[in-house]
Amino acid sequence: MQKQGFAEKLLLWYEENHRPLPWRDTRDPYKIWLSEIILQQTRVDQGLPYYQKFISRYPSVKKLADAPEADVLRTWQGLGYYSRARNLLKCARIIVSEYQGFFPSGYHDLLRLPGVGPYTAAAIASFAFEEPVAVLDGNVFRFTARFFGIDTDITTTQAGREFREILSELLPAKHSSRFNQALMEFGALVCTPKKPECATCVFNVPCFARQNKKQNILPVKKKAKPSTNLYFNYLAIRQGGHLWMALRDSPGIWQGLYELLLIEGEEKSIHLPTGPVMSALQPHIVRLDFDEEHLHILSHRNIHARFYTLVINDVKLLPEPLRQKGRFYTKEEVGRLPKPILIDKYLRSRFF
DNA sequence: CAGTCGTGGTA
DNA sequence: TTACCAAGACT
C-alpha cells in the first residue's frame, strides 16, 4: 500500500468517524497540553469530565499557576497517577515564570517540561504547532505492530526507535497533525486491544495481523509483574465534629494527598493493630468501631484496608502520635482536602 | 533498564 | 474471578 494512499484512506475514515472532543479542533497549547496530561494512561470517557472541570476552574495557564497544590490535587482526585497533577502545576508555573505564559513550540523545548515526555511533547508540537513529528502512543504502537507485523516488544527503547522510523516515513508533509490524531483515534475506535473491528476496518486487506490471524498476538508487550499485597489499618480519629488527617508527603503512593492515621501491617490480621501509636491513643479512646476489610486494587498493589473509627476524649494535649504529622479538620475542611479514592469512599459512607 | 505510580472498564 | 490495560513519565 502506497504512503499517500494510506494517509488519504486514514484521513477519510477520520472525517467520517472521529469523536467530537473539546480539545480536538483547537490550536490552543494550554488546552492541548492539559488534555494530553489528563489522557496519559487514561480513557477519554474517564478523562473528559476532569478536562471540563480543569478548564472551568482554571481557564488559563496563569490561573492554574496561581492555584495551591492541594486545590489542583483535589480537582484531580479520582484520576490516579497523582504525580501528573503535581507536575501539571509545576509546569504551569514554569510556563508563566520562564515563558511569559506562552508554551514553547518545539519538541525539544517541550520535552524539558515536567510531566511532558516523548509522547506528550510530540502531541503538543504536532497538534498545537503543526510540527511534522510522529506521535507514538499506545494506539499507534498497537495499530502499527498489527498492520506491519512487527513483533518487537513495544515497551523497549528499541521499539521506540523502530516504530518512530516507520511512522516518520508514513507521516504526510501536509496535515501531519490531522494524520497523527486520526491514527490515534483509529487505534482507539477500530484497532482496539481486544476484539478489534477487523470486519469493517478500512485497512483489513493489507493488514498483516488480519491476514495471519495474529490480532491477539500483536502488539507484543512484556507482562506486568504480579501485584504485591499491602495491609493498611486506618484509624478515623474523631474529636467533637473534627477528624484527624495527615498529608502523605513522602514520595510514593498518593504523595500529596491526605489520609487517616495509617498503621501499616505486615500481613492480614483480624486483630486491632498494636504498637506505640495504639498504646499512646489507648487511654483517650471513648469508643471504637471497625468494619470489614476493603480491597483496593492499584495497578501494582493490592491494598487490604481496614478502617477503625476512634472517638477520643477532649484532652488539651494531643497524644504524641497525633501531634507529629497531621491535625484535626472540620467536615468542611475535610471535604476540600485531596484524598485517595479509598479514603474518600470510606468517609462518604461513615463520616459525612 | 526495571520498578513505580491509580482508577475504572472489559472479557 | 482474574487478567489485562488505557492518548506515559519519572527515578
Side-chain angles (χ1 to χ4, degrees):
Chain A
M1 187 172 202
Q2 295 303 306
K3 171 182 169 179
Q4 189 183 341
F6 179 88
E8 281 178 5
K9 189 172 277 192
L10 177 65
L11 290 170
L12 194 60
W13 172 88
Y14 183 69
E15 301 310 324
E16 298 293 323
N17 299 283
H18 77 80
R19 297 165 290 184
L21 297 170
W23 53 82
R24 183 89 78 189
D25 295 308
T26 178
R27 293 276 177 187
D28 184 346
Y30 174 60
K31 291 182 177 175
I32 290 168
W33 164 71
L34 176 62
S35 69
E36 293 302 340
I37 301 296
I38 287 175
L39 292 175
Q40 288 168 6
Q41 298 291 283
T42 304
R43 287 186 175 77
V44 168
D45 288 345
Q46 190 186 3
L48 181 55
Y50 286 85
Y51 174 83
Q52 305 285 25
K53 271 195 293 185
F54 268 89
I55 289 297
S56 168
R57 293 183 195 182
Y58 316 112
S60 67
V61 67
K62 176 69 166 58
K63 293 279 190 185
L64 177 56
D66 287 340
E69 185 180 270
D71 288 4
V72 176
L73 282 167
R74 182 63 183 79
T75 310
W76 195 272
Q77 179 178 302
L79 248 193
Y81 286 145
Y82 296 93
S83 65
R84 288 184 295 169
R86 298 195 310 275
N87 284 329
L88 187 80
L89 181 56
K90 274 191 204 168
C91 183
R93 290 176 175 168
I94 289 172
I95 295 301
V96 169
S97 64
E98 296 181 24
Y99 291 91
Q100 292 74 49
F102 298 96
F103 279 81
S105 60
Y107 173 83
H108 294 285
D109 289 327
L110 289 162
L111 198 52
R112 293 197 194 97
L113 299 169
V116 177
Y119 162 75
T120 306
I124 299 172
S126 175
F127 305 160
F129 302 107
E130 199 64 41
E131 189 174 320
V133 290
V135 175
L136 277 83
D137 72 335
N139 292 311
V140 177
F141 273 112
R142 185 171 57 252
F143 171 80
T144 308
R146 284 175 177 163
F147 185 80
F148 293 103
I150 302 167
D151 59 3
T152 308
D153 182 343
I154 62 170
T155 65
T156 63
T157 52
Q158 166 58 26
R161 286 191 291 271
E162 194 173 348
F163 281 70
R164 184 169 301 283
E165 189 149 341
I166 292 170
L167 286 158
S168 300
E169 185 57 39
L170 212 53
L171 195 71
K174 288 184 177 179
H175 310 299
S176 55
S177 163
R178 203 80 171 160
F179 177 88
N180 279 324
Q181 295 193 46
L183 205 47
M184 290 166 58
E185 187 76 340
F186 190 82
L189 297 183
V190 178
C191 199
T192 50
K194 294 168 187 173
K195 297 178 62 175
E197 306 279 347
C198 298
T200 59
C201 173
V202 295
F203 298 112
N204 61 6
V205 173
C207 178
F208 174 91
R210 161 80 164 181
Q211 287 174 359
N212 298 278
K213 299 193 193 309
K214 290 195 171 181
Q215 297 97 322
N216 297 329
I217 308 296
L218 298 170
V220 173
K221 191 176 179 182
K222 184 172 68 274
K223 279 182 188 151
K225 80 176 220 199
S227 295
T228 53
N229 293 316
L230 294 175
Y231 301 94
F232 284 5
N233 298 296
Y234 274 122
L235 274 51
I237 302 166
R238 306 178 62 164
Q239 194 179 55
H242 297 66
L243 178 70
W244 190 94
M245 295 196 78
L247 172 66
R248 284 184 73 99
D249 57 350
S250 52
I253 296 172
W254 300 328
Q255 183 184 2
L257 306 192
Y258 289 77
E259 65 180 354
L260 305 169
L261 180 59
L262 172 60
I263 301 177
E264 194 169 346
E266 292 296 319
E267 56 186 2
K268 192 185 291 290
S269 168
I270 59 168
H271 302 297
L272 192 64
T274 57
V277 175
M278 283 307 293
S279 303
L281 289 175
Q282 206 65 257
H284 306 283
I285 298 176
V286 175
R287 204 183 81 217
L288 192 159
D289 299 304
F290 66 93
D291 47 312
E292 69 280 8
E293 180 183 287
H294 298 240
L295 181 60
H296 187 72
I297 309 291
L298 280 58
S299 53
H300 57 308
R301 300 272 189 265
N302 299 325
I303 297 179
H304 303 257
R306 188 181 293 280
F307 290 91
Y308 298 85
T309 301
L310 309 187
V311 177
I312 67 173
N313 56 22
D314 196 4
V315 288
K316 286 204 177 78
L317 187 61
L318 241 43
E320 183 64 21
L322 297 189
R323 276 189 295 155
Q324 291 181 358
K325 292 192 64 177
R327 65 173 177 87
F328 281 97
Y329 293 88
T330 66
K331 286 196 174 184
E332 292 68 32
E333 290 174 318
V334 169
R336 283 193 294 271
L337 293 177
K339 300 168 286 295
I341 225 65
L342 170 65
I343 301 292
D344 191 73
K345 282 181 179 168
Y346 170 77
L347 293 180
R348 284 177 194 283
S349 68
R350 296 298 168 104
F351 182 64
F352 289 106

